Amino acid sequence: MSDFNYRDGSLHAEEVALEKIAEQFGTPTYVYSRAHFENQYLAYADALGDHPGLICYAVKANSNLGILSLLAQLGAGFDIVSAGELERVLLAGGDPSRIVFSGVGKTAAEMRRALEVGVHCFNVESEAEMARLELVAAECETTAPVSLRVNPDVDANTHPYISTGLKENKFGIAIDTALDVYRHAAQSPHLQVVGVDCHIGSQLTEIAPFLDALDRLLILIDQLTAEGIQLEHLDLGGGLGVRYRGEEPPPVSDYIGAIKERLGDRQLGLVLEPGRSIAANGGLLLTRVEYLKRAEEHNFAIVDAAMNDNLRPALYQAWQDIVPVTPNNAANEIWDIVGPVCETGDFIGKNRSLALQQGQLLAMLSAGAYGFSMSSNYNSRPRAAEVLVDGDKTYLVRARETQADLVRGESPVPEKRGSK
Ligand code: LLP
């Protein structure tokens, strides 16, 4: 994680000491490195080179407007899954014609809005969705660009909760029935077939499962071409993994190089939807130790960040490194790092060897993806602040929530009639 480094005995984000950020903005706070997001995006864009296509950042990984705006400034495309994400991209200055709209449950209102702003395409996930899109496009007197998300039935070899390309998963249209669905779409005056899409899972650290999926898609593409249904692009989804704990994901250039080679001389644009590999190691969660508690079985460090701030350890038993912001020379002990939420599953790390003192700052690393974006207000905890560092500058890209934010839109009810 070269964008977060120790200098003069203290962890820095780019040029800025995390101690200073904690002092200025409090804790818990998500801290992002602009350089990391830019470099990761550019690795994809450069590897794509002059091959036609789009790198569509998966907004769900980290949807802060600061992050979206810096990517929009680099000309990124975006992969969205809701009208909420669509409006975020527009607010951040993203180009709607570079947006792909994924997701299994698009509502008619979401479709209308996406047609109105002119997204690049809808990644259609079922026949029922396609029928609805056709109706909505007809009502709007327009034509919807569609790409079918097919389910290639390959094993992505990742955590079952983030594996999506197997027959038993809810995503996509079974590859065996896709041909018929394309035939129907190709005949509709309100649908324009532009591509094919798949996303087999997340945190993949090998290229082979992507290539298995690609091979299955290419068979379908060749069948479509033979029938005169010419696709403009192939979208292989997101999913390249990152290093959390010793994983060795391949470089982006190897991944894109292997895809291009497989495409051969087919005239197909390439769309990718990376989220985690752009965002994860571009962020950390800064937290302070509130209490140390030595119990018979375990030592607990109770910190001010909790499962509501970062759900990944509780939900997936995910490992993210936790490091001291200012290391000291005291002897390490084994700690469970837990939050204040009233759940046994509320931990951000277990069995961590650290020398801890009450009041010190810790950083939960690799927290730039699926960190803040999966956070909640559980236990009526205001969501954390988000700070973006750019060289020696810091930008508060999301203010810490307040008590008023927590109850916005709620109201007490009047007393029950006759109760007095
Ligand atoms: N495209 C589609 C259609 C997706 O469903 C996803 C992620 C992506 C792209 C981006 O995948 P990535 O490049 O980030 O792997 N919350 C989980 C990850 C869920 C991923 C959901 N879909 C986690 O924290 O590990």
Side-chain angles (χ1 to χ4, degrees), residues 129-153:
E129 181 194 336
M130 200 164 80
R132 178 182 281 176
L133 182 59
E134 199 175 359
L135 273 176
V136 172
E139 264 167 40
C140 300
E141 297 176 358
T142 187
T143 306
V146 296
S147 170
L148 292 200
R149 175 167 177 183
V150 301
N151 185 332
D153 194 26

Side-chain angles (χ1 to χ4, degrees), residues 180-387:
D180 274 344
V181 184
Y182 270 113
R183 285 182 186 130
H184 170 79
Q187 282 163 10
S188 165
H190 294 290
L191 299 175
Q192 186 204 354
V193 173
V194 296
V196 63
D197 164 47
C198 79
H199 169 79
I200 57 173
S202 200
Q203 183 56 8
L204 272 68
T205 50
E206 305 159 69
I207 294 179
F210 290 115
L211 298 182
D212 283 355
L214 175 58
D215 286 343
R216 293 184 193 194
L217 256 50
L218 288 176
I219 295 171
L220 173 66
I221 290 168
D222 291 344
Q223 284 171 331
L224 289 168
T225 310
E227 293 202 13
I229 302 175
Q230 191 61 49
L231 304 187
E232 289 163 27
H233 77 249
L234 170 131
D235 178 346
L236 265 190
L240 199 56
V242 298
R243 177 182 293 228
Y244 285 108
R245 191 188 189 187
E247 297 93 331
E248 303 238 1
V252 168
S253 52
D254 286 8
Y255 172 46
I256 294 191
I259 302 171
K260 280 185 184 171
E261 199 183 305
R262 281 289 222 282
L263 291 182
D265 51 14
R266 295 179 185 84
Q267 299 295 304
L268 271 177
L270 178 61
V271 175
L272 294 174
E273 304 168 356
R276 190 192 310 269
S277 47
I278 290 181
N281 282 323
L284 55 77
L285 176 58
L286 187 59
T287 180
R288 197 178 284 282
V289 176
E290 293 283 353
Y291 302 104
L292 297 179
K293 181 167 163 178
R294 289 182 168 83
E296 210 169 290
E297 297 279 322
H298 281 286
N299 292 331
F300 294 103
I302 300 152
V303 298
D304 62 7
M307 66 189 289
N308 74 295
D309 298 301
N310 195 310
L311 190 58
R312 301 194 71 257
L315 191 58
Y316 316 113
Q317 285 74 52
W319 174 286
Q320 292 177 221
D321 282 336
I322 297 174
V323 298
V325 168
T326 46
N328 59 46
N329 291 325
N332 281 7
E333 292 173 84
I334 304 297
W335 297 94
D336 283 359
I337 315 293
V338 304
V341 163
C342 303
E343 298 260 356
T344 303
D346 177 29
F347 63 94
I348 61 167
K350 284 190 174 171
N351 292 318
R352 305 306 173 99
S353 176
L354 290 161
L356 296 184
Q357 280 165 3
Q358 189 168 314
Q360 85 174 72
L361 290 169
L362 294 175
M364 179 193 200
L365 304 183
S366 311
Y370 306 111
F372 187 93
S373 64
M374 289 173 69
S375 67
S376 76
N377 292 123
Y378 187 41
N379 276 208
S380 285
R381 289 170 49 82
R383 278 181 295 175
E386 293 177 282
V387 168

Side-chain angles (χ1 to χ4, degrees), residues 65 68-69 84-94:
L65 290 191
L68 300 182
S69 67
E85 289 190 349
L86 173 58
E87 299 305 333
R88 281 181 174 275
V89 171
L90 299 176
L91 279 171

Side-chain angles (χ1 to χ4, degrees), residues 11-46:
L11 189 59
H12 284 58
E14 299 192 18
E15 317 276 309
V16 182
L18 291 171
E19 281 173 297
K20 236 180 90 188
I21 293 178
E23 207 174 284
Q24 194 174 349
F25 302 103
T27 53
T29 290
Y30 275 95
V31 183
Y32 306 125
S33 154
R34 178 174 197 155
H36 187 91
F37 281 82
E38 291 187 343
N39 292 335
Q40 295 302 109
Y41 167 75
L42 290 172
Y44 276 95
D46 291 348

